[in-house]
């Protein structure tokens, strides 16, 4: 297995779309766990298959927001203030 941290300084990050069946399973996991947020970890094969590793209910994400420019802080704040808007 490749450890993504082995050459940490040379890594780049980009958003990826989550397939609808995976997204539905994640939402079901959150609902059944009573969570409003989870930092999910996956491993992906070269063929594009996703393997669920874990859900961190208070996972680290600020580093990823900085690296990608995604508005993660705002999204979590909105979720906590307003609830799910789907």
């Amino acid at each position: 297995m490749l450890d993504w941290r082995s050459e940490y300084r040379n890594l780049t990050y980009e958003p990826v779309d989550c397939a609808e069946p995976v997204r539905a399973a994640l939402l079901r996991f959150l609902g059944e766990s009573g969570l409003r947020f989870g930092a999910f970890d996956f491993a992906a094969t070269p063929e594009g298959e996703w393997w669920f590793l874990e859900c961190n209910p208070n996972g680290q994400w600020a580093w990823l927001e900085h690296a990608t420019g995604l508005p993660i802080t705002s999204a979590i704040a909105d979720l906590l203030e307003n609830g799910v808007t789907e």
Side-chain angles (χ1 to χ4, degrees), residues 56-79:
N56 299 296
N58 194 27
Q60 302 295 317
W61 46 264
W63 62 274
L64 191 56
E65 179 177 52
H66 176 74
T68 62
L70 292 171
I72 299 171
T73 300
S74 294
I76 292 174
D78 287 346
L79 175 65

